[in-house]
Amino acid sequence: MTRTIGFLVYPDFQLLDATGPIATFEIAARFSPGAYRLVFLSRDGGMVASSSGMAVATISLAEAPPLDTLIVAGGDGVHTPATCPVTLAYVRDAAKTARRVASVCSGTYILAEAGLLDGKRATTHWSRTKDIQKRYPAIRLEPDRIFVQDGMIWSSAGITAGIDLSLALIGADEGEAVARRVAQQLVVYHRRPGGQSQFSALIDLKAKRFDALLAWAREHLAESLSVEQLADRAAMSPRNFARLFAAETGVTPAKAVERLRVEAARALLDSQPLQVEDVALETGFGDPERMRRAFIRAFGQPPQALRRTARAG
């Protein structure tokens, strides 16, 4: 069965919001011949220029074939189609006939204006969060998520998160083995789960001198990651390492490791059918109680409560 994926763009759309998902599905079609047909849509058809000046050839909404999935790109020009009756009517109709409707980045505005997100969980780029919340209070916005699924409606954070969303859609269609091969071809992490934060502890720590060390630590969370181990990795004495690390990052090495662990543990809890005890072991907490205390410090809730919230959605 061939699934037709429609990509809706408009003048001044963000190029990667569209081309990231387009490339992801195009590569999936190589690994699963006949799985996908891609069509590029705009209100009037023809060449449509992105905010970078590069343009894509599209067909008009009036000529659009029946879709399996509609993906709406974001970008600086989003507010024009978000107030266009023709575009909004098309999106509403697509939601009635397509199996899925999705948005990337600020494409959320179009789904919101079409009324598709009322009472639903959704996300968008972090820079749009406050405006979305103000304009559309009926949306159950989850601003710190890579992507969110609520029934047939999917939404994702900015730009590269559209690739994560597309990999999730492909995994649901063709299986995780195909999605994994696509991720490998794209040379991206397979795959950031929807529950992962838009913000990384590695970025928040702002530790240029220790960037490589922290990146290594994130890949070795199951190890002890004591001050002594980290200092040895940094080729420094434990005392000097602890002093310089705290001066540069504003936190102790132990607190930095805890941030990395809670970030990884929350992503696993949201995306994997693992027991809390297994997540605690895999991320280096060792026991669930230690992880529970760290989650309360970081999120104000224990792991089980966050997992119930994610599953309820």
Side-chain angles (χ1 to χ4, degrees), residues 94-111:
K96 296 174 184 176
T97 57
R99 184 165 59 98
R100 302 176 297 212
V101 175
S103 63
V104 179
C105 195
S106 55
T108 307
Y109 282 100
I110 295 175
L111 301 193

Side-chain angles (χ1 to χ4, degrees), residues 296-313:
I296 290 174
R297 285 191 292 269
F299 307 120
Q301 297 182 67
Q304 293 87 341
L306 290 170
R307 169 171 269 182
R308 283 195 297 271
T309 299
R311 287 180 172 177

